Amino acid sequence: MTDTTDDIAEEISFQSFDDDCKLLGNLLQEVLQREVGPEFTEKLERTRILAQSASNMRMAGIENMAELIEKQLSSEISKMSLEEALTQARAFSHYLNLMGIAETHHRVHKQRNLELPSRSCDDVFNKLLQGGLPPEELYNAVCKQEVEIVLTAHPTQINRRTLQYKHIRIAHLLDYNDRPDLSHEDREMLIEDLVREITSIWQTDELRRHKPTAVDEARAGLNIVEQSLWKAVPHYLRRVSNALKKHTGKPLPLTCTPIKFGSWMGGDRDGNPNVTSKVTRDVSLLSRWMAIDLYIREVDSLRFELSMSQCSDTLSRLAHEILEETPSDHRHENWNQSMSKNLLKLQASALPTQLPARADQPSCTECNDSGSQYPRLEVPGTDYRPLNRQGGQPSSRSGSLYHDSNLNSRILSNGSSAAPINSQSTVLSRAASFNSGQVLVQRKLVAESQIGRPSFQKLLEPTPPQWPGIAPYRIVLGHVKEKLMKTRRGLELLLEDLPCDFDPWDHYETYDQLLEPLLLCYESLQSCGSGVLADGRLADLIRRVATFGMVLMKLDLRQESGRHADTLDAITLYLDMGTYSEWDEEKKLDFLTRELKGKRPLVPLRIEVPSDVKEVLDTFRVAAELGSDSLGAYVISMASNASDVLAVELLQKDARLAVSGELGRPCPGGTLRVVPLFETARDLRQAGSVIRKLLSIDWYREHIIKNHNGHQEVMVGYSDSGKDAGRFTAAWELYKAQEDVVTACNEYGIKVTLFHGRGGSIGRGGGPTYLAIQSQPPGSVMGTLRSTEQGEMVQAKFGLPQTAVRQLEIYTTAVLLAALRPPLPPREEKWRNLMEEISKISCQNYRSIVYENPEFLGYFHEATPQAELGFLNIGSRPARRKNSIEIGHLRAIPWVFAWTQTRFVLPAWLGVGAGLKGVCEKGHTEDLKAIYKEWPFFQCTMDLIEMVLGKADIPIAKHYDEVLVSESRRELGSDLRKELMVTEKYVLAVCGHEKLSENNRSLRRLIESRLPYLNPINMLQVEILKRLRSDNDNHKLRDALLITINGIAAGMRNTG
């Protein structure tokens, strides 16, 4: 199973899994024989056999023999040429990736064959009703559930997207191989396809050669929607609806969406100077463009399907009106063209020499619902060549906007220019300012280019009916498609920074406008007895619109609290009011509250401020221009006081006043939710007090009730709290903080939504979604929840439609159970006291080593590849918040990432053993065993730590020390390894297990199966690091190191 989440299945069929691993391994060996020759494959096999023998000896308890074999392996690796070491690292890395693909495939396969999957909607609904829950209460709880999964750009996804697509293709081929009806010839062809894919993978560069931009990261997030979530969401909602109907007699309402999606990609500017206000605007427009493009494809398919003529009187009248408004000589043009008469008709691209495949079908008809995940090639639409804004002549950039499904080639390349705002009036004012002479030149060029040139689209589409009695659904949906295409073209012009006449009647601005005609078609089909048609593709599209809206994923903005204080410093100094940041908290609150109650802007229009302050002000301006229709929450990282929240509210209010004044009308949408993020142990302890202080302010409380439906959102951070105080202390402080925040909101009659900033690895709060939600404090999950999904976990959980459906179901059922059957609190006060004592000892032990031992920083840099991780090019943001080598300024991701590479995984367990030992030695071992059995929070915490210990490898960590660490610091490494053994001893004692992963044998076996391939990569990494540190500018050595990093990440099944 995926080591950081066992949500898919507890067991897999190891017989068939081993068969697939053997098949893929043999095919890889066949490819290597051809690509690098038999001599290399013999050496590779010898390396594997030595590693396998050492692992077998160690598992059998024959430690001395295992050490001898490992020394022999290390000696042979040290004698390898660089080319040989690099090729071996590549081979083992690819094999581990192939094992991961097979593992995921068999989890999905196992789940598919279960009659009643555990934790599914059907299973949980049934158990709740059997437990005495009234059906009506169950129905209402599901319909009112609000869960938002927020995808982030945290840089922990190692694999290039090119390789991810190839891995998905192999997963599909394995799925096809399971079919019992395959002929011998079919199976031979399948093997050939697998060989081609593996060959393609081997010949592809594994490494990113350039650092991704923030827009690149956003595109990757949108690709997850396109390749997986777009298909998964309707399937998931059908499961929920069918289970509800089965157990309560009523299906899920068509526009009810228990789960929605958000994003930080292009909005998270905390410590990342590459995310600017312009990037945020670009990404927001791009997300809107992508949504419209996906809807056009679906509507096109629906037009093909809904060919019937019988309809309701209402739909018939609408079809009549559409035909009457369309002049007969323009009907065919309006049916197909993507630009209205008010838009510039720009030069069309050259016609193809022959019709593409499926040209006789609507352009987006899917011929294979379960087919390849590769981008589909579609019939080209009308493209154009943008004109040079300076001279009115065609630019050398030939048509940069194509209507295909591959987002990578579509619109933006590394953040190309975008329009200032997406509001109608601003677009109109920009269009009016465009030189009229240039417009005339453009129109003349286009007219000349079209003489004698037939419309390619006219050849592909049927002539539309002339009266509504023939196909009214096609008429209505054709009108919908026309408006969608005009909306898309308008967005394309904005993204290209070109002028655009914006007619609100010809465009969709809100998802309600798009839902209206779709619901009308649905009601018409139902009223005519065609419910079976209404509940097919049309219902799926309606559910997609309700879930994804017009932007797919609303974009959160995030900035560090100090940047807001700096901005207010600049403003108050300019206004001769003093320095804001030097005021005490009460003075700040008085000032902020007074300004918030006022009606005039605070910031002068012509204020001159430093560039970093200007960027903050520009970000608030973009937020005002886009509004809550496109953006989600404004998250304040490192929040510690009530003034941090009010400062953002004031800057937001000021920007909205300024933009509204310029537009002459209110800003689009509402104000953004302002969400404090508490992430250090100290800030978590004060979270409840900060919320109480905020809610005690009349203006703020009234603002929450009026503008946010009486809802306060609070975010808690797992990553920085773990790096700050250790995993155990962080877990306990997070638990108490949530309790306190919930109590504070209840005191003021305000509802609370907790936003969990969880990482992928255990050291950053990762773990099984179901267990994590079920172990939250009682009352903290009352049907609402937000949670981040980061890096490699996004691909692992949502990369395939089948796994995405399962994950969405698990979110729904876990939140439902947490609300209706909340987990038990600590049974007695003694339990809390014991937790406090463990936490105190654990934190002291952790900080005494990490922050107070002067040798630790040097040991960390020598024993891990932390300094070299920057060569990976896996994220747009810097690894450190400030230009400092101190641990405190290092981000949590590289901190965890580096220790995961050495298989020491120190951040996930350091301090835990000392805390448990201190309490057990005082005679509380039996108490801890009882707590483990009865309290879900403590059980979940200990199980995750036990899982991490099962993945730690002391001999490998020791090998890093012996080769890389200076002799004066090796004693610290030895002490840490002893600490790991102490932690293992006491974790097993508390959990009542004889050996690690005793309650998860499937995981144990999976880890053991990877060792013959994973251990050699670690040894190769040690040798390459040794050479690189004496030859730092050797780019070939860097490449070899990065390939070992990829391989270890594949073997550990997580990174940071």
Side-chain angles (χ1 to χ4, degrees):
M1 81 187 69
T2 302
D3 300 348
T4 50
T5 170
D6 65 354
D7 293 332
I8 306 297
E10 289 70 30
E11 300 289 337
I12 66 173
S13 170
F14 274 98
Q15 179 60 56
S16 55
F17 168 68
D18 290 341
D19 289 345
D20 275 348
C21 286
K22 187 177 180 180
L23 168 66
L24 294 173
N26 288 339
L27 294 180
L28 175 61
Q29 191 167 27
E30 178 185 321
V31 169
L32 292 174
Q33 288 264 9
R34 186 176 64 251
E35 295 288 329
V36 293
E39 184 179 346
F40 169 79
T41 53
E42 288 176 10
K43 290 182 178 179
L44 182 73
E45 182 64 9
R46 173 174 171 78
T47 301
R48 187 196 67 80
I49 289 172
L50 284 172
Q52 178 78 71
S53 302
S55 295
N56 291 343
M57 293 295 174
R58 209 170 285 285
M59 282 185 275
I62 311 174
E63 295 288 336
N64 291 340
M65 183 60 71
E67 284 185 21
L68 283 174
I69 297 172
E70 284 168 350
K71 284 182 179 178
Q72 174 65 27
L73 178 57
S74 176
S75 174
E76 292 187 11
I77 286 174
S78 68
K79 296 172 185 175
M80 285 182 186
S81 68
L82 174 56
E83 191 64 36
E84 189 178 354
L86 186 149
T87 309
Q88 285 216 9
R90 289 190 69 209
F92 284 125
S93 176
H94 284 309
Y95 186 81
L96 286 167
N97 274 308
L98 292 173
M99 284 185 73
I101 295 166
E103 183 186 326
T104 300
H105 163 69
H106 282 283
R107 261 204 311 275
V108 172
H109 183 73
K110 166 91 177 189
Q111 200 66 41
R112 189 185 297 151
N113 293 332
L114 292 176
E115 190 171 324
L116 187 64
S118 65
R119 304 167 186 171
S120 66
C121 291
D122 196 7
D123 174 45
V124 171
F125 294 178
N126 180 53
K127 288 177 180 176
L128 284 169
L129 292 176
Q130 288 184 348
L133 184 74
E136 190 66 25
E137 188 176 341
L138 170 63
Y139 183 81
N140 290 334
V142 174
C143 292
K144 292 177 181 177
Q145 190 174 108
E146 295 179 19
V147 174
E148 188 170 356
I149 299 168
V150 181
L151 309 185
T152 79
H154 285 62
T156 59
Q157 175 53 265
I158 286 288
N159 283 325
R160 290 179 58 200
R161 202 160 354 129
T162 298
L163 291 174
Q164 291 174 39
Y165 278 128
K166 294 179 188 296
H167 293 167
I168 287 170
R169 175 65 178 158
I170 290 175
H172 284 315
L173 289 170
L174 290 179
D175 196 38
Y176 186 63
N177 192 38
D178 287 340
R179 286 178 51 171
D181 60 338
L182 286 186
S183 67
H184 178 70
E185 183 181 1
D186 290 336
R187 213 168 290 280
E188 283 188 342
M189 292 174 65
L190 182 142
I191 296 298
E192 289 175 5
D193 284 343
L194 280 170
V195 170
R196 274 188 284 272
E197 292 298 334
I198 294 172
T199 302
S200 173
I201 286 172
W202 179 258
Q203 294 181 359
T204 299
D205 188 358
E206 301 98 322
L207 304 177
R208 290 182 177 94
R209 297 299 173 180
H210 303 284
K211 206 171 183 66
T213 68
V215 176
D216 291 334
E217 292 170 335
R219 274 201 299 265
L222 293 176
N223 272 333
I224 289 289
V225 175
E226 182 183 21
Q227 78 183 21
S228 178
L229 292 175
W230 191 254
K231 296 177 182 178
V233 162
H235 189 179
Y236 148 73
L237 289 171
R238 282 180 184 277
R239 282 195 183 181
V240 177
S241 184
N242 291 340
L244 269 183
K245 190 171 183 179
K246 175 181 176 181
H247 295 289
T248 70
K250 294 187 291 184
L252 186 74
L254 201 57
T255 56
C256 183
T257 54
I259 289 182
K260 290 192 177 183
F261 300 91
S263 173
W264 277 14
M265 303 178 191
D268 181 9
R269 60 234 319 120
D270 175 24
N272 189 352
N274 300 307
V275 179
T276 63
S277 57
K278 179 184 178 303
V279 165
T280 296
R281 181 186 286 113
D282 285 357
V283 168
S284 180
L285 289 174
L286 177 59
S287 183
R288 186 174 283 265
W289 182 94
M290 182 69 181
I292 300 298
D293 189 63
L294 288 169
Y295 290 140
I296 288 172
R297 300 181 212 171
E298 294 300 323
V299 170
D300 203 36
S301 298
L302 263 181
R303 286 197 306 153
F304 184 78
E305 183 176 293
L306 300 183
S307 56
M308 60 292 303
S309 57
Q310 187 180 5
C311 68
S312 66
D313 291 342
T314 306
L315 190 75
S316 178
R317 283 195 299 271
L318 177 59
H320 270 291
E321 291 171 7
I322 291 169
L323 286 180
E324 288 169 1
E325 291 175 2
T326 308
S328 60
D329 58 340
H330 289 299
R331 286 175 191 164
H332 190 76
E333 178 185 351
N334 287 348
W335 186 280
N336 296 295
Q337 299 302 319
S338 65
M339 295 183 66
S340 71
K341 62 184 179 181
N342 294 323
L343 293 177
L344 302 175
K345 290 183 169 60
L346 301 171
Q347 185 173 0
S349 60
L351 290 171
T353 57
Q354 62 180 18
L355 292 179
R358 300 191 297 114
D360 58 321
Q361 301 176 20
S363 59
C364 300
T365 302
E366 293 180 10
C367 61
N368 182 3
D369 288 336
S370 61
S372 171
Q373 292 288 329
Y374 288 118
R376 295 189 301 275
L377 292 178
E378 297 181 351
V379 178
T382 302
D383 296 303
Y384 64 90
R385 183 173 297 147
L387 297 186
N388 188 312
R389 295 296 293 273
Q390 302 298 322
Q393 294 300 317
S395 167
S396 61
R397 293 179 302 160
S398 59
S400 61
L401 299 171
Y402 295 92
H403 302 158
D404 67 335
S405 62
N406 184 1
L407 187 60
N408 301 333
S409 63
R410 280 191 189 136
I411 294 180
L412 293 176
S413 175
N414 297 334
S416 59
S417 181
I421 63 174
N422 194 26
S423 65
Q424 297 167 13
S425 59
T426 307
V427 173
L428 286 169
S429 65
R430 290 180 51 198
S433 68
F434 188 66
N435 185 288
S436 59
Q438 291 178 329
V439 174
L440 292 174
V441 171
Q442 282 187 325
R443 288 176 176 169
K444 183 178 178 181
L445 284 169
V446 173
E448 290 172 352
S449 70
Q450 297 300 319
I451 294 174
R453 181 176 294 183
S455 167
F456 178 54
Q457 287 292 114
K458 288 181 182 179
L459 299 176
L460 305 183
E461 304 240 14
T463 302
Q466 304 296 312
W467 57 92
I470 299 297
Y473 295 98
R474 286 186 167 181
I475 293 169
V476 171
L477 291 172
H479 185 64
V480 170
K481 181 186 175 185
E482 181 187 345
K483 288 184 69 172
L484 284 169
M485 292 178 79
K486 290 175 181 176
T487 305
R488 181 177 67 179
R489 180 50 59 93
L491 288 166
E492 290 171 356
L493 294 175
L494 291 175
L495 283 162
E496 288 288 332
D497 202 16
L498 290 170
C500 169
D501 292 333
F502 202 103
D503 185 348
W505 295 104
D506 283 343
H507 294 71
Y508 287 118
E509 279 293 296
T510 67
Y511 76 93
D512 290 329
Q513 295 169 348
L514 178 56
L515 274 178
E516 187 177 353
L518 299 178
L519 289 171
L520 190 61
C521 290
Y522 182 88
E523 291 160 5
S524 174
L525 287 168
Q526 292 284 4
S527 68
C528 295
S530 299
V532 66
L533 291 173
D535 290 326
R537 190 185 289 270
L538 177 58
D540 287 348
L541 176 56
I542 291 170
R543 284 177 166 143
R544 285 182 174 117
V545 174
T547 301
F548 295 110
M550 301 302 284
V551 292
L552 294 182
M553 302 180 288
K554 286 191 176 182
L555 187 63
D556 280 4
L557 307 181
R558 182 170 78 135
Q559 183 58 281
E560 197 255 332
S561 58
R563 293 291 298 277
H564 307 134
D566 292 343
T567 302
L568 286 172
D569 278 350
I571 294 169
T572 55
L573 285 168
Y574 183 85
L575 298 174
D576 295 327
M577 299 175 67
T579 305
Y580 170 84
S581 59
E582 294 177 357
W583 301 346
D584 61 31
E585 179 68 4
E586 286 305 316
K587 185 174 180 179
K588 288 179 183 177
L589 291 175
D590 288 343
F591 164 73
L592 294 168
T593 306
R594 183 173 64 252
E595 290 296 331
L596 282 164
K597 289 178 179 178
K599 296 182 180 180
R600 60 167 177 76
L602 173 67
V603 184
L605 289 175
R606 292 178 178 81
I607 187 173
E608 293 183 5
V609 293
S611 59
D612 58 336
V613 172
K614 184 178 184 302
E615 178 55 41
V616 172
L617 294 174
D618 287 347
T619 297
F620 279 103
R621 185 177 180 85
V622 167
E625 293 165 352
L626 294 172
S628 59
D629 291 339
S630 299
L631 304 178
Y634 193 109
V635 179
I636 311 166
S637 57
M638 295 295 173
S640 57
N641 293 294
S643 60
D644 292 332
V645 176
L646 292 190
V648 172
E649 292 284 11
L650 177 58
L651 292 170
Q652 178 176 211
K653 175 210 161 191
D654 202 79
R656 289 179 68 84
L657 283 174
V659 171
S660 178
E662 292 176 12
L663 296 177
R665 61 177 181 79
C667 293
T671 62
L672 305 189
R673 308 185 309 276
V674 178
V675 180
L677 164 55
F678 302 103
E679 42 193 335
T680 66
R682 175 180 171 276
D683 291 341
L684 285 167
R685 293 183 190 111
Q686 297 177 354
S689 300
V690 171
I691 298 302
R692 283 185 182 85
K693 185 65 177 178
L694 271 173
L695 295 177
S696 70
I697 298 170
D698 293 341
W699 178 91
Y700 185 78
R701 192 171 61 255
E702 291 166 6
H703 165 71
I704 288 292
I705 293 169
K706 178 183 176 182
N707 296 311
H708 300 299
N709 199 28
H711 245 98
Q712 172 67 55
E713 188 174 322
V714 176
M715 185 171 184
V716 289
Y718 291 66
S719 299
D720 282 290
S721 57
K723 185 167 74 73
D724 177 49
R727 183 71 259 140
F728 192 94
T729 298
W732 179 232
E733 294 298 339
L734 283 158
Y735 187 92
K736 292 189 296 179
Q738 290 177 71
E739 284 184 319
D740 203 13
V741 165
V742 169
T743 302
C745 289
N746 288 340
E747 289 169 5
Y748 286 90
I750 298 295
K751 301 171 187 174
V752 64
T753 295
L754 286 165
F755 185 4
H756 298 264
R758 304 171 68 228
S761 61
I762 306 303
R764 294 180 50 245
T769 303
Y770 194 87
L771 291 180
I773 295 173
Q774 286 293 289
S775 61
Q776 298 304 312
S780 64
V781 184
M782 297 306 292
T784 63
L785 178 84
R786 292 188 92 210
S787 181
T788 58
E789 292 288 359
Q790 304 178 5
E792 79 278 15
M793 288 295 100
V794 174
Q795 186 67 33
K797 292 183 178 182
F798 305 111
L800 292 172
Q802 305 96 311
T803 56
V805 169
R806 179 67 173 145
Q807 284 297 318
L808 296 176
E809 260 197 299
I810 284 171
Y811 264 105
T812 295
T813 56
V815 170
L816 186 70
L817 283 172
L820 298 177
R821 297 287 184 268
L824 296 172
R827 180 160 54 83
E828 51 187 284
E829 191 62 26
K830 180 181 180 181
W831 290 10
R832 299 183 76 94
N833 294 336
L834 286 173
M835 287 296 293
E836 286 289 351
E837 191 168 352
I838 295 171
S839 176
K840 181 180 178 181
I841 297 170
S842 175
C843 185
Q844 287 174 346
N845 176 263
Y846 176 90
R847 290 192 65 86
S848 69
I849 293 171
V850 174
Y851 291 98
E852 295 167 16
N853 187 328
E855 293 295 321
F856 182 82
L857 185 61
Y859 172 76
F860 172 55
H861 286 298
E862 289 180 352
T864 74
Q866 185 275 322
E868 292 82 7
L869 289 176
F871 300 139
L872 269 176
N873 291 325
I874 60 173
S876 68
R877 73 181 188 179
R880 296 177 179 273
R881 283 193 166 92
K882 297 181 180 179
N883 189 19
S884 165
I885 64 169
E886 296 299 317
I887 297 288
H889 294 146
L890 180 69
R891 287 189 177 276
I893 289 174
W895 165 246
V896 175
F897 201 154
W899 290 112
T900 304
Q901 285 287 303
T902 67
R903 312 262 294 280
F904 208 22
V905 285
L906 177 141
W909 58 261
L910 183 60
V912 176
L916 294 175
K917 178 183 178 182
V919 170
C920 288
E921 287 181 345
K922 292 181 179 178
H924 294 297
T925 304
E926 293 304 314
D927 290 324
L928 292 181
K929 287 182 178 180
I931 296 173
Y932 175 78
K933 288 179 181 177
E934 296 183 38
W935 189 12
F937 162 74
F938 186 68
Q939 185 182 82
C940 178
T941 302
M942 296 303 296
D943 284 349
L944 291 177
I945 292 168
E946 183 182 358
M947 191 196 84
V948 158
L949 293 173
K951 293 172 72 174
D953 193 303
I954 288 178
I956 290 292
K958 182 181 178 183
H959 183 60
Y960 276 80
D961 282 10
E962 289 174 343
V963 177
L964 300 174
V965 176
S966 56
E967 196 167 342
S968 62
R969 294 189 177 113
R970 286 180 192 166
E971 186 179 352
L972 175 57
S974 176
D975 291 343
L976 288 171
R977 290 193 293 276
K978 290 175 185 175
E979 189 76 27
L980 174 59
M981 289 187 282
V982 168
T983 304
E984 182 178 326
K985 173 185 174 182
Y986 283 96
V987 166
L988 290 174
V990 170
C991 296
H993 299 155
E994 291 185 9
K995 57 183 179 180
L996 295 171
S997 303
E998 185 178 292
N999 63 336
N1000 198 340
R1001 294 177 183 177
S1002 176
L1003 174 61
R1004 180 74 258 160
R1005 182 168 172 180
L1006 285 168
I1007 291 172
E1008 289 170 357
S1009 69
R1010 299 173 200 156
L1011 294 180
Y1013 310 92
L1014 182 57
N1015 287 353
I1017 303 182
N1018 277 108
M1019 291 186 172
L1020 284 163
Q1021 184 178 89
V1022 170
E1023 178 60 29
I1024 291 165
L1025 275 171
K1026 178 184 174 183
R1027 298 185 194 181
L1028 183 61
R1029 287 175 180 176
S1030 60
D1031 187 9
N1032 196 42
D1033 294 327
N1034 189 324
H1035 291 279
K1036 197 79 172 176
L1037 276 170
R1038 284 189 188 180
D1039 283 357
L1041 174 65
L1042 299 182
I1043 286 166
T1044 65
I1045 290 173
N1046 285 1
I1048 294 166
M1052 295 292 281
R1053 296 305 302 273
N1054 59 41
T1055 51

